[in-house]
Amino acid sequence: MLDDKITSETFWEGVWENNPVFVMLLGMCPVLAVTNSTINALAMGLATLFVLLSSSLLVSLIRNWIPKQTRIAIYIIIIATFVTVVDYVIQAISLDLYNALGAFIQLIVANCMILGRAEAYASKVPPVKSLVNALGMGVGFTIALLCLGSVREILGSGTLLGFDLFGEHYQQWVVMILPPGGFFVLGGWLLLFEWLRQRKEQEES
Amino acid sequence: MTETTVEKPSSLRMIISLTLVSILSGIAVVSVYLYTKPIIDENKRRAIEAAVLKVIPDAAGYQPFLLEDNTLKPATDSKTKGLLFYAGYDQHKQLVGLAAPANAQGYADKVYIIYGYRFDCECITGVKVIKHAETPGLGDKVITDQSFVANFDALDAKVNVEGSALQNRIITVKHGAKTNPWEIDAISGATITSRAIGKALDIGAGQLLPQVLKFRDQLEAQ
Amino acid sequence: MNWSRLFGFQGGIHPGYHKDRTSNRAVKRLPFPLRLILPLDQHIGAPALPIVRPGQEVIRGELIAKADGFVSAPIHAPATGLVKSIELKPTARGSLTNSIVIEVLRGDPQEVMISEPHDIKNMNHDELVNAIQDSGLAGLGGAAFPSHVKLKQLDSKPAELLLVNGCECEPYLTTDHRVMLEHPEDLIQGIKYAMRATGTQRAIIGIEDNKLDAVEVIRNHLQADDPIEVKTVVTRYPQGAEKLLVKSLLGREVPEGGLPLDVGVIIHNVGTLAQMGKLLPAGEGLIERVVTITGTGVDKPGNYKISLGTPIGFVLDTLGIDATKETIILGGPMMGPAVGSLEAPVTKGTSGILVFHERDFIDREHEKVYPCIKCGRCVDACPMRLNPAQLGWLAASREYQIMADEFHLNNCFECGCCSYSCPSRIPLVQYFRIAKATNREQAIKQQKLEAEAASGA
Amino acid sequence: MARKPPRIELHTAPHAVAAQNVVVIMRNVVYALLPLLGYAVWLFGLSAFMLILVVLLSTLGTERFFNWMGKQGSTLDDWSAVITALLLALTLPPGFPLWMGVIAGITSIALGKALFGGLGFNLLNPALVGRAFVQAAFPVAITTWTPPFIVTRFTEFIPSTFTLPLMQPIDISQWLATSGIDAFTGATPLALQKFQSIATPVESLFMGSTAGSVGETSAILILLCGSYLAVRKMMNWRIPLYIFFGVVATSALLQLIDDTNPDPLFMLLSGGVMLGAVFMATDMVGSPITPRGIMIYGVLIGFLTVIIRIYGGLSEGVMYAILLGNAATPLIEMVTQPRIFGARKAPAKGGTDD
Amino acid sequence: MEPTGLDFIFFNAFLASNFVLALFLGLCPFLGVSGKLETAFPMGIATMVVMLISSVCAYFINQILVSYDIEYLRLISYIAVIASSVQLVEMTLKKFTPGLFRSLGIFLPLITTNCAILGLALFQTFKEYNFLQSLVYALGAGAGFTLAILLMAGMRERMDLARLPSVTQGAALSLMIGGLLSLSFMGFAGLGS
Ligand SMILES: Cc1cc2nc3c(=O)[nH]c(=O)nc-3n(C[C@H](O)[C@H](O)[C@H](O)COP(=O)(O)O)c2cc1C
Ligand SMILES: Cc1cc2nc3c(=O)[nH]c(=O)nc-3n(C[C@H](O)[C@H](O)[C@H](O)COP(=O)(O)O)c2cc1C
Ligand SMILES: Cc1cc2nc3c(=O)[nH]c(=O)nc-3n(C[C@H](O)[C@H](O)[C@H](O)COP(=O)(O)O)c2cc1C
Ligand SMILES: Cc1cc2nc3c(=O)[nH]c(=O)nc-3n(C[C@H](O)[C@H](O)[C@H](O)CO)c2cc1C
Ligand code: SF4
Ligand code: SF4
Ligand code: SF4
Ligand code: SF4
Ligand code: FES
């Protein structure tokens, strides 16, 4: 059962042990779709983080007040509201970024991670704890996005955050920015983690 | 969750809660919308301005117009149907050319462009890609490749004597095979995106220019 | 007109036959060993019940164990001598089984005990079937299924046709071939008895087209009004499997899980019927059989008439073969088991003893087994049109139940065509045997559990 | 008498086995590829030779590396990695930068084979996985062709061959112009047909005197080498035939609909259809084992090849068609389980509960 | 083929811009429910049905939103409509074909939080498809999803019997297979251009 105490675990859980992407495999669509550059990954991560934080806070605040039968509907409305807000804000900040992220900002609504957190966590703990946990999850999500985005951008474009790394004659690995690259890089990270885990286990035994 | 009896809250409470949340959400959305709308519109306007001024090199200002049912009217509301174009004027408020959006299917999705046209040379003077989903490093060379962009320094777009269509349809040819002023020299390795731009121009300009020319006086008078 | 071209089965293989070394050698008799070992379960079904005690003297041809029920066969003494013991003795496969051990009386002329001749003409169906059971006949084709069981008439499934299996499709073996050449009268006689017992009006002898001389001989011995036909089928392993022979000769497919009787056919091996023709009128019992002894490790290959119960070690010694260095197979190379003990005896089902040198034997243990490369050769070879590759993948993951439920494992008759053709050298048939055995055990366990549950409740 | 038991006890039937084993089959495929490699070097010279060598080394190295990772013995001796390497090299353009060839070799084994447990377990054709990867990674380099029979092909390399690792291929248009080749547009017969509607004579296709990948050259030679394997029963000859049928039928149909579409013979002889159908679609690991499955698989590959060529964004579709055929193989097999002997009704996978 | 033609719309959504393999939509069910063919197929069909229904709903809602100039409510209303239409399908199935419900039932809630459905509604709006075009688009997208998940399930079932290296298991393997499938589908890119 969840208690109300806040420990460092509350935060770090989402970053590492239960990383939403690498461990729980949640919200895979945006993870793969918008990570063809680091900047997109960062923007997506922050947008998701914002929605996660605000919806977790709100859900936690009103958790004792909403009837059980309508809770999912209410969560969805809350999430959709914040997503719409983010959508317009990003449009106002930069049209180019908005075009690059495409429909995936709006698709944050369907990100199972956010609804999952609202249902399984935020609706059961007090606001501050929920907020801390959401922050961890959001940071974990963003880190995962950056892991993908940076690899894909470095190989696929020869740049990092837009800065040229290899000079103008660098041959870009176009595949990395294409859909298969997304699958391969995420799969590659998971393989790497599994390999490291197994090696550690072997050393221990 | 361990409760054993599912207490049934009154329907009233459910309705109230949902309604309340919906109203609050509506308020939040509307206020953000109202707050950001002017900024977004300004962003869009600036983007269009930058594009139009870039594709009609000598222009200093522009006016949006709409061609609908063989009449020309100033475009005010973006929603009305018809052919949209921007007439470009120089510092002396002289009509120099026009810019218009066009699109065609590329490699991955539609390629959206805005192109510029000069009345004096009867040629296309610039193309800017507004939106595309082509392969980075390949299809997006149509933006970065200087020799490709040079195709549009002066691409022939004369209208035929009857004033019904272009005299020569704009076509894209394989890299290195350009012989006529109305041909576009494709980028090798991105022939398909190159062709999409040619196709967009051919269809867009082919439809718009013959009609616009009839209203040239009207435009000059603005 | 070649029938099997019209109706032949799919699949099958063409292994090297190596039959020429023995097919033209007349059957010779092998001397008696010092001691005969007679397993009580030489046949499929209930083991026979011994009716002799240790120390008792028996005469060649005397009944020493009686059938235990209908699906069982009696055993007769293959030689005059003393019953030494009834004890557990190793079989060819290495397991132990209860056997009667007889010390052969040296210097005895070994005359066969004279029994009461049968008046076959006046026997009715049931009496005939009983007489066949009394002779101890079990299928000499290899499976050693008590022969009379198949001949029992069933009103629900009348037999329309007797098929006589003279294919002998296994490489190396030539016993059936010799029997057809040397004893065509016995064979025809046996066929007539079997037809009488079952009331069938027609018989067809199916012979592979590498034994045309046998076809010739049998045809010459047939009377014009005999309702017996001889037909050739193409030489292809496993043409002799009953379901496939039925398909080749009649174009009928025995339904999945069914018996030839389901399509109106009774099938017997030529060796079985020849013995029937010989033994039945005299009322004698089965005490010896023809065995092909050949292989690269044999200098004097041939077909030998051997008393049942003769230990294999004795057979090899007599022929001057040093068995300890060789690989020995009982039966044909495709289906026969490798011999685990030289004490194991020749039984009713033993059709051959093959001896191979180490050097010319394809050694599975030393050849690397590769993963299945999905070449499909096993699928092409399987005459039952199963998917051995798929079965093999499942077996490797121990999905035995799925193999049976979804991929027809129980339809596999273990002919070995798949293993033979597999370039990855996967022991497919071995997998399938294990799978079947495990499933059987599982089913028995299940039944026990259910029975317990039922009695407990 | 205590006697030693005979030598082998636990041996189980059958004791006889067919002569061909995996290694023999694989080695013979390599033999069958040798003439193609020789002809390719004859056509394209030193660069082709270097490319084949480098791809071979990188592929075998990767295979060995994964053996080591998986703590198993070397699997190089089954020759399958050699086939992968040779076929991969044969599908690359002659002037392909060597470093890209290395990437192709590594990915073919890593992504295409080792990931799934090595020989026999891969889902897709490893050589084509390697090629598809570099096709998607370096689409320009892999569509940069040089003509065959360049006079200096045995004395100098195509400049792009020795491109620095990670760098863009060296531009060869200058070199082509100075090599005395005029009117070479750098396009394959398929690209000429697709993008410029220029037909290439059938004889050139038969003899392989056109631009193209290292090995997709002479239709006759490929057919001859393939026949060797087919005669020795080391390859299922039905697969190429079904593919040819699929290609001819589809392109004939499309030509009926619109007569500007290229004719079936051209479709059959140009590009990689021959090499793909004879040597790559026949890789049994990725193809169905059921007889009806093989038919569906072959025709599907032929069909997809033509569809991608005519309606797709690329001029050549064989590679993708084969990969898609491989991907569909488990499904195809599932619906084409053989009708077993004596089956009472049509084969039903799984129990029919109603 | 014209980009607005029904044939183009169908094949584009079906193959070239396959929702899963090219657009990265609906990955959760694609990775989660593709372990066995007998679950993958119902999931594909269920998704296709829900896609058709929500496409129709989204079309009409958008008409209303546009005519009242309240497009900023689009997202909220789409998600609400999708959630309730899934619920509706669920109820209808339960009532009229309980057998079908039992085989599809467990997947329906999953579909609500599946971005392929919402993505379809959004894309058809951005592309300004008319009613018929939207319907064909939904059909193509649904068929494409079904194709992808079927291929995936077939390959994963095959992998169940393979001798996999110890590191490649579970999600990583699925992603790699997904990547290879996506790589193979690159052949369809540029279809109709
Ligand atoms: C991964 C990949 C991405 C591609 N992206 C594009 C693209 O964005 N634009 C394009 O015109 N062609 C693209 N192509 C297609 C080919 O590079 C090229 O257009 C076609 O083969 C014609 O070749 P050519 O231009 O050399 O005649 C792509 C191909 C691949 C394999
Ligand atoms: C339990 C059992 C019952 C059998 N019942 C009959 C039968 O009623 N009629 C018959 O013709 N064969 C019967 N058979 C014999 C089989 O059809 C078959 O001939 C025998 O198993 C040997 O076949 P094989 O030598 O092809 O392996 C029976 C076999 C077994 C194991
Ligand atoms: C793979 C296989 C091959 C067989 N080949 C022969 C054969 O060549 N000759 C033969 O008489 N029986 C052969 N049999 C046994 C027959 O199926 C059948 O049991 C036998 O002919 C019945 O006659 P029997 O009971 O008199 O032995 C074979 C069985 C199997 C499973
Ligand atoms: C007829 C035949 C064709 C083959 N084709 C290929 C091929 O196209 N690509 C490949 O990587 N290996 C090929 N191989 C080799 C081998 O099957 C392959 O390495 C396995 O796919 C690895 O598991 C072939 C083998 C044979 C016998
Ligand atoms: S048991 Fe074997 S050798 Fe004897 S006839 Fe049958 S298949 Fe041939
Ligand atoms: S042993 Fe079984 S699976 Fe193998 S070929 Fe014979 S019948 Fe088919
Ligand atoms: S013969 Fe062997 S390698 Fe070939 S498919 Fe069958 S089991 Fe696999
Ligand atoms: S499975 Fe093999 S060992 Fe077992 S009864 Fe059948 S044939 Fe004999
Ligand atoms: S994030 Fe796309 S389906 Fe879950």
Side-chain angles (χ1 to χ4, degrees), chain A residues 178, chain B residues 107 134-135 138-139 174 187-193, chain D residues 135-136 139 143 195 313-314 320, chain E residues 186:
Chain A
L178 295 176
Chain B
Y107 185 76
E134 303 297 279
T135 316
L138 207 66
K174 187 89 190 160
I187 299 174
S188 83
T191 308
I192 293 164
T193 314
Chain D
Q135 165 100 54
T143 48
F195 297 111
L314 301 161
Y320 291 110
Chain E
M186 293 293 303

Side-chain angles (χ1 to χ4, degrees), chain C residues 256 387 390-391 393-394 399 401-408, chain D residues 290 292 329-340 343 345-354, chain E residues 35-39 153-154 157-158 160-161:
Chain C
E256 188 181 357
N387 187 340
Q390 177 87 41
L391 286 168
W393 310 329
L394 288 166
E399 301 279 11
Q401 211 51 54
I402 297 181
M403 290 166 74
D405 296 346
E406 292 176 20
F407 293 95
H408 310 276
Chain D
T290 58
R292 278 181 307 147
T329 290
L331 293 185
I332 295 177
E333 260 177 25
M334 204 143 304
V335 299
T336 57
Q337 285 298 327
R339 188 197 140 272
I340 66 141
K345 48 184 173 179
K349 193 207 168 268
T352 40
D353 30 14
D354 43 17
Chain E
K36 285 266 168 287
L37 266 168
E38 58 205 50
T39 50
E157 277 198 0
R158 173 68 52 98
D160 287 345
L161 299 178

Side-chain angles (χ1 to χ4, degrees), chain D residues 269-291:
Chain D
L269 296 176
S270 58
V273 169
M274 283 290 155
L275 188 71
V278 173
F279 283 101
M280 311 186 92
T282 49
D283 179 10
M284 43 273 197
V285 178
S287 53
I289 54 176
T290 58

Side-chain angles (χ1 to χ4, degrees), chain A:
Chain A
M1 225 31 240
L2 295 165
D3 57 25
D4 294 352
K5 258 210 336 268
I6 300 172
T7 60
S8 63
E9 192 50 18
T10 314
F11 174 76
W12 286 107
E13 176 203 24
V15 181
W16 188 243
E17 243 161 86
N18 277 333
N19 186 293
V21 176
F22 290 137
V23 181
M24 304 207 287
L25 301 162
L26 292 176
M28 299 302 268
C29 304
V31 171
L32 295 179
V34 300
T35 51
N36 47 16
S37 80
T38 322
I39 200 81
N40 288 356
L42 189 64
M44 186 69 193
L46 293 180
T48 311
L49 179 66
F50 169 75
V51 176
L52 189 58
L53 281 178
S54 34
S55 62
S56 286
L57 181 64
L58 198 59
V59 166
S60 175
L61 278 175
I62 60 174
R63 71 185 188 283
N64 295 326
W65 179 76
I66 40 181
K68 261 188 73 173
Q69 279 75 0
T70 51
R71 70 185 193 290
I72 300 282
I74 289 177
Y75 300 158
I76 289 180
I77 294 174
I78 290 175
I79 296 168
T81 308
F82 286 118
V83 172
T84 311
V85 169
V86 173
D87 191 51
Y88 280 110
V89 170
I90 291 188
Q91 251 187 90
I93 294 172
S94 159
L95 271 182
D96 285 341
L97 187 60
Y98 181 75
N99 283 337
L101 296 177
F104 279 90
I105 288 294
Q106 303 194 25
L107 287 174
I108 293 177
V109 178
N111 188 325
C112 12
M113 175 184 67
I114 297 178
L115 191 64
R117 277 289 111 181
E119 162 74 1
Y121 204 91
S123 65
K124 292 173 192 158
V125 300
V128 180
K129 178 159 184 177
S130 154
L131 207 58
V132 172
N133 184 267
L135 191 68
M137 284 286 161
V139 168
F141 188 77
T142 311
I143 290 177
L145 284 168
L146 287 176
C147 281
L148 264 85
S150 53
V151 171
R152 293 179 72 186
E153 187 182 340
I154 291 173
L155 282 176
S157 313
T159 59
L160 186 60
L161 284 166
F163 292 109
D164 204 340
L165 295 181
F166 302 101
E168 60 166 328
H169 289 297
Y170 175 74
Q171 170 67 55
Q172 302 151 343
W173 298 36
V174 181
V175 67
M176 286 301 163
I177 335 185
L178 295 176
F183 282 107
F184 289 143
V185 174
L186 182 53
W189 278 111
L190 292 182
L191 286 179
L192 183 71
F193 289 145
E194 179 63 21
W195 184 71
L196 288 174
R197 197 186 62 76
Q198 287 188 4
R199 229 178 50 149
K200 215 174 103 195
E201 236 170 45
Q202 260 172 17
E203 273 166 20
E204 278 167 8
S205 63

Side-chain angles (χ1 to χ4, degrees), chain A residues 26-30 110-112, chain E residues 24-29 113-116:
Chain A
L26 292 176
M28 299 302 268
C29 304
N111 188 325
C112 12
Chain E
F24 292 120
L25 291 169
L27 287 173
C28 299
T113 54
N114 168 337
C115 46

Side-chain angles (χ1 to χ4, degrees), chain E residues 118-183:
Chain E
L118 182 62
L120 176 90
L122 291 174
F123 286 159
Q124 79 179 35
T125 312
F126 295 157
K127 289 176 189 267
E128 297 175 351
Y129 282 157
N130 64 27
F131 181 70
L132 198 58
Q133 286 170 326
S134 304
L135 213 58
V136 171
Y137 187 56
L139 202 65
F145 180 85
T146 310
L147 177 69
I149 198 169
L150 279 183
L151 287 173
M152 184 74 174
M155 292 163 84
R156 283 183 61 186
E157 277 198 0
R158 173 68 52 98
M159 281 297 106
D160 287 345
L161 299 178
R163 205 176 51 199
L164 291 172
S166 60
V167 278
T168 39
Q169 251 133 30
L173 180 70
S174 303
L175 280 166
M176 287 311 213
I177 298 180
L180 289 175
L181 258 186
S182 169
L183 197 62

